[in-house]
Amino acid sequence: MTARVLQSWFRFVSGLEFDLATNLVGQPLVRQQVMKGLREFLEKPNPEKPLVMSFHGSTGTGKTYVSSMLIRYLFQRGLQSPYVHHFSPIVHFPHAEQIEQYKENLKRWIQGNLTNCGRSAFLFDEMDKMHPGLIDVIIPFLGPSWVVYGTNYRKAIFIFISNAGGEQINNVTLALWRARKDREEITLQDLEPAISKAVFENPQSGFWQSGIIHEHLIDFVVPFLPLKHHHVKQCVISELVQQGLEVVWENLEDEEFHSDVLLGRGTVTVPWKKALPCWQGEDPRRAEGWLGER
């Protein structure tokens, strides 16, 4: 069943790497960490444990974009695959008083789906809004044991996505920029202390006092840096080009001027200042929304 559902994992590593290099702008650490984790995991026919990655950064920096791209390369139907499972605390775990029931439901869901397909992927969005203690129910599925509840789960992928740590990542990046350190020179070691303090030591975080942290079950922490203005422009251009549109930018140096997007028979005017909220939490790839304002 797995062979009919999954595309060749190895064949698409180079394609994913090219896609990240081409369409993910301003995130050198993301490319490094994601590709390193994926390569190390996929090259092992029988990995010692599932691949566990944790994405951190402000809204609009590309966390969901990268996770969706990764899933699209690994599964034929991408996020629509029955072997890809997406959890949101707001949608799936909204009531704190029902946390024990949520724990039981989550454990059964993961166990049942890993029994159906060991090559499953589980995405946990908005970990900063997850009830503390809830996520620990999946600890048995993340470690190096051979079998849990009668299921071999070591070929699965778990991705945690969180806005927590975003402000700290932004502050460290800004301090390094003031120290004339290019973002290509920023290392994981520069950011890890700030991420750890903001995410793992925060009583409001889903990782608060979590055994996932204490047992070092996260293989790769992936920090998403804040985007500069020229990165936002690249995001907009990339998205519009992928939609088959011809892009004409004018007055690039002045935020108050408009940028023209040539669309078929007419020209759509997109105020450049609408791209600026990428810093405050709006994904610049939502270009189709702007086009709808014609």
Side-chain angles (χ1 to χ4, degrees):
M1 180 181 295
T2 302
R4 293 198 302 267
V5 176
L6 295 177
Q7 300 185 17
S8 171
W9 287 52
F10 298 97
R11 192 197 324 165
F12 293 104
V13 168
S14 59
L16 174 62
E17 185 171 29
F18 176 81
D19 210 346
L20 287 173
T22 304
N23 297 309
L24 181 68
V25 298
Q27 301 293 358
L29 273 177
V30 174
R31 293 197 302 270
Q32 294 170 17
Q33 289 291 92
V34 169
M35 292 311 304
K36 184 176 186 292
L38 198 59
R39 279 201 180 93
E40 291 181 0
F41 182 67
L42 296 181
E43 69 184 9
K44 300 176 182 177
N46 294 294
E48 292 81 11
K49 65 182 296 296
L51 174 61
V52 183
M53 295 190 288
S54 189
F55 292 180
H56 298 275
S58 299
T59 303
T61 50
K63 301 184 299 297
T64 300
Y65 181 72
V66 172
S67 62
S68 299
M69 184 187 298
L70 190 156
I71 294 299
R72 188 173 71 248
Y73 271 91
L74 298 179
F75 295 85
Q76 289 180 341
R77 294 174 57 189
L79 290 171
Q80 303 304 313
S81 169
Y83 305 108
V84 176
H85 312 278
H86 189 186
F87 299 94
S88 165
I90 296 177
V91 175
H92 299 98
F93 319 114
H95 306 297
E97 65 274 12
Q98 298 181 26
I99 187 171
E100 294 305 319
Q101 184 61 52
Y102 293 151
K103 287 182 179 180
E104 184 62 27
N105 293 344
L106 182 57
K107 182 180 74 174
R108 288 182 178 178
W109 182 265
I110 293 179
Q111 179 183 351
N113 282 283
L114 284 177
T115 300
N116 292 334
C117 178
R119 288 285 195 186
S120 294
F122 300 88
L123 280 64
F124 292 87
D125 205 356
E126 299 182 296
M127 280 298 299
D128 48 303
K129 298 178 182 177
M130 188 77 71
H131 302 300
L134 172 57
I135 201 64
D136 276 13
V137 75
I138 73 170
I139 287 177
F141 301 101
L142 304 182
S145 299
W146 280 85
V147 174
V148 174
Y149 308 121
T151 300
N152 183 346
Y153 61 92
R154 294 177 300 141
K155 295 182 180 180
I157 293 178
F158 292 83
I159 299 177
F160 301 110
I161 302 172
S162 177
N163 294 335
E167 181 179 354
Q168 289 73 19
I169 292 172
N170 296 349
N171 291 338
V172 172
T173 304
L174 179 60
L176 293 173
W177 175 77
R178 287 172 172 164
R180 300 185 180 277
K181 189 170 186 177
D182 187 81
R183 69 172 48 217
E184 297 288 343
E185 301 174 310
I186 296 176
T187 67
L188 187 61
Q189 289 68 35
D190 291 326
L191 300 168
E192 272 188 328
I195 296 175
S196 178
K197 187 174 182 61
V199 178
F200 309 137
E201 301 176 18
N202 182 357
Q204 305 303 316
S205 169
F207 282 126
W208 166 245
Q209 295 185 339
S210 172
I212 294 176
I213 307 305
H214 298 321
E215 297 180 29
H216 307 287
L217 296 178
I218 294 178
D219 303 302
F220 292 90
V221 172
V222 183
F224 286 71
L225 304 181
L227 299 179
K228 299 174 70 174
H229 292 169
H230 72 276
H231 295 136
V232 179
K233 295 173 185 176
Q234 287 179 264
C235 288
V236 175
I237 292 174
S238 175
E239 180 63 27
L240 293 175
V241 168
Q242 289 185 44
Q243 294 184 27
L245 307 179
E246 182 179 355
V247 184
V248 179
W249 294 93
E250 295 180 353
N251 304 306
L252 293 180
E253 300 304 321
D254 193 332
E255 300 166 3
E256 297 302 320
F257 282 83
H258 289 39
S259 302
D260 291 334
V261 182
L262 191 62
L263 177 63
R265 301 175 183 174
T267 299
V268 180
T269 301
V270 181
W272 170 241
K273 61 184 178 181
K274 286 201 173 186
L276 298 183
C278 180
W279 286 85
Q280 292 88 36
E282 181 173 323
D283 195 325
R285 298 178 184 85
R286 297 173 183 165
E288 66 275 9
W290 306 340
L291 294 179
E293 296 179 3
R294 287 180 290 167

CSV table of all heavy atoms in Angstrom, one decimal, residues 51-56 63 67 122-127 130 135 138-139 142 157-163 207 210 212-213 217-220 222 224:
chain,number,residue,atom,x,y,z
A,51,LEU,N,11.6,11.1,12.2
A,51,LEU,CA,12.2,12.4,12.0
A,51,LEU,C,11.3,13.4,12.7
A,51,LEU,O,10.1,13.5,12.4
A,51,LEU,CB,12.3,12.7,10.5
A,51,LEU,CG,12.7,14.1,10.1
A,51,LEU,CD1,14.1,14.4,10.7
A,51,LEU,CD2,12.7,14.4,8.6
A,52,VAL,N,11.8,14.2,13.6
A,52,VAL,CA,11.0,15.2,14.4
A,52,VAL,C,11.7,16.5,14.2
A,52,VAL,O,12.9,16.7,14.5
A,52,VAL,CB,11.0,14.8,15.9
A,52,VAL,CG1,10.1,15.8,16.6
A,52,VAL,CG2,10.5,13.4,16.0
A,53,MET,N,10.9,17.5,13.6
A,53,MET,CA,11.4,18.8,13.4
A,53,MET,C,10.5,19.8,14.0
A,53,MET,O,9.3,19.6,14.1
A,53,MET,CB,11.6,19.1,11.9
A,53,MET,CG,12.6,18.3,11.2
A,53,MET,SD,13.0,18.8,9.5
A,53,MET,CE,11.5,18.3,8.6
A,54,SER,N,11.1,20.9,14.5
A,54,SER,CA,10.3,22.0,15.1
A,54,SER,C,10.6,23.3,14.4
A,54,SER,O,11.7,23.8,14.5
A,54,SER,CB,10.6,22.0,16.6
A,54,SER,OG,9.7,22.9,17.3
A,55,PHE,N,9.6,23.9,13.8
A,55,PHE,CA,9.7,25.1,13.1
A,55,PHE,C,9.3,26.3,14.0
A,55,PHE,O,8.2,26.3,14.6
A,55,PHE,CB,8.8,25.2,11.8
A,55,PHE,CG,9.2,24.2,10.8
A,55,PHE,CD1,8.4,24.1,9.6
A,55,PHE,CD2,10.3,23.4,10.9
A,55,PHE,CE1,8.7,23.2,8.6
A,55,PHE,CE2,10.6,22.5,9.9
A,55,PHE,CZ,9.8,22.4,8.7
A,56,HIS,N,10.2,27.3,14.0
A,56,HIS,CA,9.9,28.5,14.9
A,56,HIS,C,10.2,29.8,14.1
A,56,HIS,O,11.1,29.9,13.4
A,56,HIS,CB,10.8,28.4,16.1
A,56,HIS,CG,10.6,27.2,17.0
A,56,HIS,ND1,9.6,27.2,18.0
A,56,HIS,CD2,11.2,26.0,17.0
A,56,HIS,CE1,9.6,26.0,18.5
A,56,HIS,NE2,10.6,25.3,18.0
A,63,LYS,N,6.9,29.2,7.5
A,63,LYS,CA,6.8,27.9,8.2
A,63,LYS,C,5.8,27.0,7.5
A,63,LYS,O,6.1,25.8,7.2
A,63,LYS,CB,6.5,28.1,9.7
A,63,LYS,CG,7.4,29.0,10.5
A,63,LYS,CD,7.1,29.1,11.9
A,63,LYS,CE,5.7,29.7,12.2
A,63,LYS,NZ,5.6,31.1,11.7
A,67,SER,N,6.6,23.5,5.2
A,67,SER,CA,6.0,22.2,5.6
A,67,SER,C,5.1,21.7,4.5
A,67,SER,O,5.1,20.5,4.2
A,67,SER,CB,5.2,22.3,6.9
A,67,SER,OG,4.1,23.2,6.8
A,122,PHE,N,2.8,13.8,10.4
A,122,PHE,CA,1.9,14.4,11.4
A,122,PHE,C,2.4,15.9,11.6
A,122,PHE,O,3.6,16.1,12.0
A,122,PHE,CB,1.9,13.7,12.7
A,122,PHE,CG,1.5,12.2,12.6
A,122,PHE,CD1,2.4,11.2,12.3
A,122,PHE,CD2,0.1,11.9,12.7
A,122,PHE,CE1,1.9,9.9,12.1
A,122,PHE,CE2,-0.3,10.6,12.6
A,122,PHE,CZ,0.6,9.6,12.3
A,123,LEU,N,1.5,16.8,11.3
A,123,LEU,CA,1.9,18.2,11.4
A,123,LEU,C,1.1,18.8,12.6
A,123,LEU,O,-0.2,18.7,12.6
A,123,LEU,CB,1.5,19.0,10.1
A,123,LEU,CG,2.5,18.9,9.0
A,123,LEU,CD1,2.6,17.5,8.4
A,123,LEU,CD2,2.1,19.9,7.8
A,124,PHE,N,1.8,19.4,13.5
A,124,PHE,CA,1.1,20.1,14.7
A,124,PHE,C,1.3,21.6,14.5
A,124,PHE,O,2.4,22.1,14.8
A,124,PHE,CB,1.7,19.5,16.0
A,124,PHE,CG,1.3,18.1,16.2
A,124,PHE,CD1,2.1,17.1,15.7
A,124,PHE,CD2,0.2,17.8,17.0
A,124,PHE,CE1,1.8,15.7,16.0
A,124,PHE,CE2,-0.1,16.4,17.2
A,124,PHE,CZ,0.7,15.4,16.7
A,125,ASP,N,0.3,22.3,14.2
A,125,ASP,CA,0.3,23.7,13.9
A,125,ASP,C,0.1,24.5,15.3
A,125,ASP,O,-0.5,23.9,16.2
A,125,ASP,CB,-0.7,24.1,12.9
A,125,ASP,CG,-0.4,25.4,12.2
A,125,ASP,OD1,0.7,26.0,12.5
A,125,ASP,OD2,-1.1,25.8,11.3
A,126,GLU,N,0.6,25.7,15.3
A,126,GLU,CA,0.3,26.6,16.4
A,126,GLU,C,0.6,26.0,17.8
A,126,GLU,O,-0.2,26.0,18.7
A,126,GLU,CB,-1.1,27.1,16.4
A,126,GLU,CG,-1.4,27.9,15.1
A,126,GLU,CD,-2.8,28.5,15.2
A,126,GLU,OE1,-3.8,27.6,15.2
A,126,GLU,OE2,-3.0,29.7,15.2
A,127,MET,N,1.8,25.4,17.9
A,127,MET,CA,2.2,24.8,19.1
A,127,MET,C,2.3,25.8,20.3
A,127,MET,O,2.1,25.4,21.5
A,127,MET,CB,3.6,24.1,19.0
A,127,MET,CG,3.6,22.8,18.3
A,127,MET,SD,2.6,21.5,19.2
A,127,MET,CE,3.5,21.5,20.8
A,130,MET,N,-1.0,25.3,22.0
A,130,MET,CA,-1.3,24.0,22.5
A,130,MET,C,-1.4,24.0,24.0
A,130,MET,O,-0.6,24.6,24.7
A,130,MET,CB,-0.3,23.0,22.0
A,130,MET,CG,-0.7,21.5,22.3
A,130,MET,SD,-1.9,20.9,21.1
A,130,MET,CE,-0.9,20.8,19.6
A,135,ILE,N,0.7,17.5,24.4
A,135,ILE,CA,1.6,16.9,23.4
A,135,ILE,C,2.4,15.7,23.9
A,135,ILE,O,2.9,14.9,23.1
A,135,ILE,CB,2.5,17.9,22.7
A,135,ILE,CG1,2.9,17.5,21.3
A,135,ILE,CG2,3.6,18.3,23.6
A,135,ILE,CD1,1.8,17.3,20.3
A,138,ILE,N,2.2,11.8,22.9
A,138,ILE,CA,2.8,11.2,21.7
A,138,ILE,C,4.3,10.8,21.9
A,138,ILE,O,5.0,10.3,21.0
A,138,ILE,CB,2.7,12.1,20.4
A,138,ILE,CG1,3.6,13.3,20.5
A,138,ILE,CG2,1.3,12.6,20.3
A,138,ILE,CD1,3.7,14.1,19.2
A,139,ILE,N,4.9,11.1,23.1
A,139,ILE,CA,6.3,10.8,23.4
A,139,ILE,C,6.6,9.3,23.0
A,139,ILE,O,7.7,9.1,22.4
A,139,ILE,CB,6.6,11.0,24.8
A,139,ILE,CG1,6.7,12.5,25.1
A,139,ILE,CG2,7.9,10.4,25.2
A,139,ILE,CD1,7.0,12.9,26.5
A,142,LEU,N,7.9,9.0,19.4
A,142,LEU,CA,9.0,9.8,18.9
A,142,LEU,C,10.3,9.3,19.2
A,142,LEU,O,11.3,9.8,18.6
A,142,LEU,CB,8.9,11.3,19.5
A,142,LEU,CG,7.5,12.0,19.3
A,142,LEU,CD1,7.6,13.4,19.9
A,142,LEU,CD2,7.2,12.1,17.8
A,157,ILE,N,7.2,11.0,10.1
A,157,ILE,CA,7.7,12.3,10.2
A,157,ILE,C,6.7,13.1,11.1
A,157,ILE,O,5.5,13.1,10.8
A,157,ILE,CB,7.9,13.0,8.8
A,157,ILE,CG1,8.9,12.3,8.0
A,157,ILE,CG2,8.2,14.5,9.0
A,157,ILE,CD1,9.1,12.8,6.6
A,158,PHE,N,7.3,13.8,12.0
A,158,PHE,CA,6.5,14.7,12.9
A,158,PHE,C,7.1,16.1,12.8
A,158,PHE,O,8.3,16.3,12.9
A,158,PHE,CB,6.6,14.3,14.4
A,158,PHE,CG,5.9,13.0,14.7
A,158,PHE,CD1,6.5,11.8,14.4
A,158,PHE,CD2,4.6,13.0,15.2
A,158,PHE,CE1,5.9,10.6,14.7
A,158,PHE,CE2,4.0,11.8,15.5
A,158,PHE,CZ,4.6,10.6,15.2
A,159,ILE,N,6.2,17.1,12.5
A,159,ILE,CA,6.6,18.5,12.3
A,159,ILE,C,5.8,19.4,13.3
A,159,ILE,O,4.6,19.4,13.2
A,159,ILE,CB,6.5,19.0,10.9
A,159,ILE,CG1,7.3,18.2,9.9
A,159,ILE,CG2,6.9,20.5,10.8
A,159,ILE,CD1,7.2,18.6,8.5
A,160,PHE,N,6.5,20.1,14.2
A,160,PHE,CA,5.8,21.0,15.1
A,160,PHE,C,6.0,22.4,14.5
A,160,PHE,O,7.2,22.8,14.1
A,160,PHE,CB,6.4,20.9,16.5
A,160,PHE,CG,6.2,19.6,17.1
A,160,PHE,CD1,7.4,18.8,17.3
A,160,PHE,CD2,5.0,19.1,17.4
A,160,PHE,CE1,7.2,17.5,17.9
A,160,PHE,CE2,4.9,17.8,18.0
A,160,PHE,CZ,6.0,17.0,18.2
A,161,ILE,N,5.0,23.2,14.4
A,161,ILE,CA,5.0,24.6,13.9
A,161,ILE,C,4.6,25.6,15.0
A,161,ILE,O,3.5,25.4,15.6
A,161,ILE,CB,4.1,24.7,12.6
A,161,ILE,CG1,4.6,23.7,11.6
A,161,ILE,CG2,4.2,26.1,12.1
A,161,ILE,CD1,3.6,23.6,10.4
A,162,SER,N,5.4,26.6,15.2
A,162,SER,CA,5.1,27.5,16.3
A,162,SER,C,5.6,28.9,16.0
A,162,SER,O,6.6,29.1,15.4
A,162,SER,CB,5.8,27.0,17.6
A,162,SER,OG,5.5,27.9,18.7
A,163,ASN,N,4.7,29.9,16.4
A,163,ASN,CA,5.2,31.3,16.3
A,163,ASN,C,6.0,31.7,17.5
A,163,ASN,O,6.7,32.7,17.5
A,163,ASN,CB,3.9,32.2,16.3
A,163,ASN,CG,3.1,32.1,15.1
A,163,ASN,OD1,3.6,31.7,14.0
A,163,ASN,ND2,1.8,32.4,15.2
A,207,PHE,N,5.1,23.2,24.7
A,207,PHE,CA,6.3,22.5,25.1
A,207,PHE,C,6.7,22.7,26.6
A,207,PHE,O,7.8,22.3,27.0
A,207,PHE,CB,7.5,22.8,24.2
A,207,PHE,CG,7.4,22.2,22.8
A,207,PHE,CD1,7.5,23.0,21.7
A,207,PHE,CD2,7.3,20.8,22.7
A,207,PHE,CE1,7.4,22.4,20.4
A,207,PHE,CE2,7.2,20.2,21.5
A,207,PHE,CZ,7.3,21.0,20.3
A,210,SER,N,7.9,19.8,28.9
A,210,SER,CA,7.5,18.7,28.1
A,210,SER,C,8.6,17.6,28.1
A,210,SER,O,9.8,17.9,28.0
A,210,SER,CB,7.2,19.1,26.6
A,210,SER,OG,7.1,17.9,25.8
A,212,ILE,N,9.2,15.8,25.7
A,212,ILE,CA,9.8,15.8,24.4
A,212,ILE,C,11.1,16.6,24.4
A,212,ILE,O,12.0,16.2,23.7
A,212,ILE,CB,8.8,16.4,23.4
A,212,ILE,CG1,7.5,15.5,23.2
A,212,ILE,CG2,9.4,16.7,22.0
A,212,ILE,CD1,6.5,16.1,22.3
A,213,ILE,N,11.1,17.6,25.2
A,213,ILE,CA,12.3,18.4,25.3
A,213,ILE,C,13.3,17.7,26.2
A,213,ILE,O,14.5,17.6,25.9
A,213,ILE,CB,12.0,19.8,25.8
A,213,ILE,CG1,10.9,20.5,25.0
A,213,ILE,CG2,13.3,20.7,25.9
A,213,ILE,CD1,11.2,20.5,23.5
A,217,LEU,N,14.0,14.6,22.1
A,217,LEU,CA,13.3,13.9,21.0
A,217,LEU,C,13.2,14.7,19.7
A,217,LEU,O,12.8,14.2,18.6
A,217,LEU,CB,12.0,13.4,21.4
A,217,LEU,CG,12.0,12.4,22.6
A,217,LEU,CD1,10.6,12.0,23.0
A,217,LEU,CD2,12.8,11.1,22.2
A,218,ILE,N,13.4,16.0,19.8
A,218,ILE,CA,13.4,16.9,18.6
A,218,ILE,C,14.8,16.8,17.9
A,218,ILE,O,15.8,17.1,18.5
A,218,ILE,CB,13.0,18.3,18.9
A,218,ILE,CG1,11.6,18.4,19.4
A,218,ILE,CG2,13.2,19.2,17.7
A,218,ILE,CD1,11.2,19.8,19.8
A,219,ASP,N,14.8,16.3,16.6
A,219,ASP,CA,16.0,16.1,15.9
A,219,ASP,C,16.6,17.4,15.3
A,219,ASP,O,17.8,17.7,15.3
A,219,ASP,CB,15.8,15.1,14.8
A,219,ASP,CG,15.3,13.8,15.3
A,219,ASP,OD1,16.0,13.2,16.1
A,219,ASP,OD2,14.2,13.4,14.8
A,220,PHE,N,15.6,18.3,14.8
A,220,PHE,CA,16.1,19.5,14.2
A,220,PHE,C,15.2,20.7,14.6
A,220,PHE,O,14.0,20.6,14.3
A,220,PHE,CB,16.1,19.4,12.7
A,220,PHE,CG,17.1,18.4,12.1
A,220,PHE,CD1,16.8,17.1,12.0
A,220,PHE,CD2,18.4,18.8,11.8
A,220,PHE,CE1,17.7,16.2,11.6
A,220,PHE,CE2,19.3,17.9,11.4
A,220,PHE,CZ,19.0,16.6,11.3
A,222,VAL,N,14.3,24.4,13.6
A,222,VAL,CA,14.4,25.1,12.4
A,222,VAL,C,13.9,26.6,12.6
A,222,VAL,O,12.7,26.8,12.7
A,222,VAL,CB,13.6,24.5,11.2
A,222,VAL,CG1,13.8,25.2,9.9
A,222,VAL,CG2,14.0,23.0,11.1
A,224,PHE,N,13.1,30.4,11.6
A,224,PHE,CA,12.8,31.2,10.4
A,224,PHE,C,13.1,32.7,10.7
A,224,PHE,O,12.5,33.3,11.6
A,224,PHE,CB,11.3,31.0,10.0
A,224,PHE,CG,11.0,29.7,9.4
A,224,PHE,CD1,11.0,28.5,10.1
A,224,PHE,CD2,10.7,29.6,8.0
A,224,PHE,CE1,10.7,27.3,9.5
A,224,PHE,CE2,10.4,28.4,7.4
A,224,PHE,CZ,10.4,27.3,8.2
